[in-house]
Amino acid sequence: MLINAEHLLQYQRCKRRPVLDINADKSQRDAPNDLLAKLHQDKIAYHRGILAGFTYEQPKYSPGNREAVEAETLELMQRGVEYIYHGVLLSNYQDWTDTASEKYTLLSRPDLLIKQPGQSCFGDWMYVPASMELGKRPKQEYQAVAAFHAQVLANVQGVTPDTAWLLLRTKDSGYPVDLAKWTPQMLKILEEFIQALQVSDAPEMFISRQKCNLCHWHSQCYAIAQSQNHLSLLPGVTPVRYAQLQALSLTTLESLANTSPTTLEDLPGFDSIVATKLVIQAQSVIEKRPLILPTSLPKAEITFTAPVELYFDIEAQPDLDLDYLLGVLVVDRQKNTQQFYSFLAETPADEELVWQQFLDLVWQYPNAPIYHFCVYEFDTVKRLAKLYRTPYSLVNPVLNRFVDIYEQLIQSVTLPVESYALKVIARWLGFEWRDKEASGAKCIYWYDKWLETGDRSFLEIIQRYNEDDCHATRSVKDWLTNFFQNEYSIIQESEASL
Ligand code: SF4
């Protein structure tokens, strides 16, 4: 059985995924989506950028014949080629440990093998591996994978490299991995993974938006989680908290909903607020209705409605450090009108221009609150003000008008939803985006496509999506205001009747 570095990387993110990759029926996997395609393209472009600085050789790709590629790689190493891109190295797991009961072949395909002075089976030179990673930080999982490449390489060349490199997307891109620290950790992870492969059931799933959305087993895992009312679908249940709940035999929604918050509040990472919120969240899902939290904001704050309100949403391209679309929906409640403004930087150089246009618009309504969903808009306005040296007197009064609807919502109420993302909440309210497949991440891809092709249809779909985000934010704000007004009038009526 073959284990490669990708399996090891994925195992550190989700114990289930590489076990399914090896043991499950591959036809059950989801088809690749646009986001994965973009990631793949970004990776290729990143590799090309780095390789442009090297004279390198690469073994010929021979589909389905890894031994042939390995033989070519060994031939390049034997010749003492300075840089080898995507060589293939193989090693037997039995050579690493006595504990393996079954035969596993370990396949390493380091992005680069770099020649350096030393003594190896090839002569008075040796190689060290380097991994080109799209991330900016030397994440633990990258370091374990680098140690895997180094260990297979050590078996092949007869000498252990003194380091392994991570080439990261930072100015000082070369990060040396401490192999003395990471090799034992990598071996532990590998051994645990091999044991998981030998058990007939794959490890339990844990649905987490961040990692599962990019996984080709998502549809399968999500269907299982939904059929079981799995606790990972409950907002606030993280993998660590899930383990804590399991230790208390709280493994179902019902058991959690019927628990006293005092049972949870002394657990690490919990306090009385977190514990209460989690229990009420479970009750909210079971009862399929919103429930007010004891931490709810004062009535005047949460039901406040201004004559003119602005709803603000940004689209950004993080790779370019660019906020290219500032969308504002102006709602005049007295005149009963609404108008959407889309300040779009068609090229990155236009960012300053759209920033000015945004400021001009929000200053036309100096008393209007500016509603947004989550902290990104607030942080971005601070970033743009600093970048373009906007006077404090122009920016601070604007920032003082910002109201984060997400914060208001999560402090005041629990909803019967799987997450507090704008999309999920607004859809629960019945709001629909005009382009069903659109998302913030896809907009990043589409903006890249616009820059690449000049096809305006990419800009149009981004602008529609951004406008719908502003309308969705408004629908959440309106719902919250109405919900609390109704709840408070019910409370007042029942108090009056006593
Ligand atoms: S969908 Fe999530 S839980 Fe399932 S295998 Fe993928 S990452 Fe793991």
Side-chain angles (χ1 to χ4, degrees):
M1 197 177 284
L2 195 78
I3 293 176
N4 60 33
E6 180 66 15
H7 292 135
L8 201 67
L9 178 77
Q10 296 301 346
Y11 186 74
Q12 294 171 83
R13 294 174 175 167
C14 167
K15 294 190 178 351
R16 179 177 171 86
R17 177 172 169 168
V19 174
L20 292 182
D21 282 342
I22 290 178
N23 289 342
D25 175 3
K26 292 191 173 41
S27 68
Q28 299 298 308
R29 293 187 308 194
D30 297 335
N33 58 35
D34 284 356
L35 288 182
L36 285 172
K38 175 174 165 31
L39 264 182
H40 186 63
Q41 281 169 10
D42 286 353
K43 192 154 191 176
I44 291 172
Y46 177 58
H47 281 204
R48 281 201 189 120
I50 293 180
L51 290 172
F54 298 106
T55 303
Y56 67 93
E57 291 193 39
Q58 180 176 6
K60 267 192 235 81
Y61 177 59
S62 181
N65 190 353
R66 68 181 84 94
E67 283 78 13
V69 190
E70 184 204 23
E72 282 219 31
T73 306
L74 294 177
E75 200 263 325
L76 295 174
M77 295 170 88
Q78 187 70 62
R79 271 175 34 215
V81 169
E82 293 289 331
Y83 296 99
I84 302 169
Y85 180 59
H86 279 173
V88 165
L89 304 172
L90 298 170
S91 175
N92 287 328
Y93 184 55
Q94 278 82 348
D95 297 341
W96 294 22
T97 170
D98 303 330
T99 57
S101 55
E102 204 182 319
K103 187 168 169 57
Y104 290 95
T105 301
L106 305 173
L107 185 148
S108 156
R109 189 170 173 253
D111 291 329
L112 271 182
L113 288 166
I114 303 171
K115 185 183 173 189
Q116 65 173 44
Q119 287 297 322
S120 70
C121 66
F122 301 116
D124 57 359
W125 67 89
M126 60 183 286
Y127 286 88
V128 295
S131 307
M132 304 177 195
E133 301 295 353
L134 276 176
K136 292 183 177 169
R137 287 185 306 107
K139 293 180 192 163
Q140 299 203 350
E141 63 236 41
Y142 294 161
Q143 301 200 50
V145 165
F148 175 83
H149 291 310
Q151 186 72 15
V152 178
L153 177 59
N155 273 40
V156 169
Q157 67 181 2
V159 58
T160 305
D162 49 13
T163 193
W165 292 97
L166 294 180
L167 305 180
L168 303 166
R169 276 206 303 181
T170 51
K171 261 193 233 137
D172 187 18
S173 73
Y175 181 90
V177 174
D178 178 355
L179 292 177
K181 176 181 168 193
W182 278 100
T183 303
Q185 298 207 34
M186 176 275 293
L187 288 171
K188 224 170 117 194
I189 297 164
L190 185 62
E191 179 154 358
E192 194 190 298
F193 174 42
I194 285 175
Q195 279 171 11
L197 285 172
Q198 290 163 357
V199 176
S200 56
D201 289 335
E204 186 184 10
M205 90 250 119
F206 187 94
I207 300 294
S208 112
R209 230 168 17 116
Q210 225 182 357
K211 66 180 166 65
C212 297
N213 282 354
L214 286 174
C215 175
H216 43 226
W217 297 106
H218 184 241
S219 300
Q220 199 190 78
C221 290
Y222 184 67
I224 297 171
Q226 273 203 317
S227 71
Q228 297 176 351
N229 273 336
H230 195 267
L231 282 181
S232 62
L233 297 178
L234 195 72
V237 177
T238 60
V240 172
R241 287 183 185 164
Y242 183 57
Q244 291 170 314
L245 296 176
Q246 278 182 315
L248 294 171
S249 301
L250 298 173
T251 54
T252 63
L253 264 183
E254 288 73 15
S255 59
L256 183 55
N258 291 324
T259 297
S260 162
T262 51
T263 319
L264 307 177
E265 63 188 34
D266 291 332
L267 294 172
F270 278 80
D271 57 23
S272 63
I273 294 176
V274 172
T276 304
K277 199 167 170 180
L278 201 58
V279 171
I280 297 180
Q281 179 65 62
Q283 293 166 351
S284 180
V285 171
I286 287 177
E287 294 175 29
K288 296 188 173 53
R289 67 186 182 102
L291 296 174
I292 295 178
L293 288 165
T295 49
S296 170
L297 295 173
K299 181 191 172 197
E301 198 173 325
I302 203 154
T303 59
F304 177 74
T305 300
V308 176
E309 295 175 344
L310 310 184
Y311 292 87
F312 178 35
D313 187 66
I314 294 176
E315 303 307 326
Q317 171 33 294
D319 292 344
L320 301 176
D321 215 3
L322 173 74
D323 292 285
Y324 64 87
L325 174 55
L326 310 181
V328 182
L329 176 69
V330 179
V331 176
D332 188 325
R333 292 189 184 272
Q334 286 180 329
K335 292 187 189 149
N336 203 18
T337 60
Q338 57 180 14
Q339 185 160 3
F340 180 67
Y341 296 84
S342 182
F343 303 122
L344 173 69
E346 294 195 2
T347 70
D350 290 341
E351 188 186 56
E352 184 173 5
L353 174 71
V354 301
W355 164 237
Q356 280 306 330
Q357 290 171 332
F358 166 79
L359 280 179
D360 291 346
L361 178 75
V362 296
W363 273 104
Q364 284 179 39
Y365 305 95
N367 299 316
I370 302 171
Y371 292 104
H372 58 104
F373 198 89
C374 289
V375 74
Y376 186 78
E377 279 66 25
F378 185 85
D379 289 347
T380 299
V381 163
K382 285 205 288 192
R383 181 189 86 81
L384 293 173
K386 193 170 168 201
L387 182 64
Y388 297 115
R389 298 170 191 277
T390 312
Y392 289 128
S393 58
L394 265 185
V395 179
N396 285 356
V398 171
L399 285 171
N400 287 339
R401 287 155 52 198
F402 272 48
V403 182
D404 187 344
I405 284 295
Y406 168 79
E407 274 301 322
Q408 284 204 337
L409 186 94
I410 61 162
Q411 280 182 45
S412 305
V413 71
T414 58
L415 304 178
V417 292
E418 289 176 5
S419 111
Y420 285 83
L422 176 60
K423 267 232 172 69
V424 178
I425 297 169
R427 280 192 172 137
W428 175 75
L429 296 173
F431 182 89
E432 271 305 333
W433 274 253
R434 281 169 285 180
D435 301 291
K436 302 233 177 321
E437 296 305 314
S439 68
K442 281 195 179 157
C443 285
I444 296 173
Y445 174 67
W446 290 328
Y447 189 72
D448 279 353
K449 282 283 185 199
W450 149 252
L451 291 178
E452 198 182 303
T453 64
D455 180 346
R456 298 198 77 80
S457 65
F458 289 114
L459 290 185
E460 285 157 14
I461 191 168
I462 293 170
Q463 286 178 298
R464 261 200 316 274
Y465 174 73
N466 177 258
E467 181 177 356
D468 286 351
D469 270 358
C470 291
H471 283 286
T473 306
R474 181 193 173 178
S475 72
V476 177
K477 194 266 171 190
D478 285 350
W479 175 85
L480 198 58
T481 303
N482 291 336
F483 176 74
F484 273 87
Q485 272 168 349
N486 287 340
E487 289 294 312
Y488 282 119
S489 52
I490 291 168
I491 291 168
Q492 274 166 1
E493 277 169 24
S494 59
E495 281 173 355
S497 67
L498 287 176

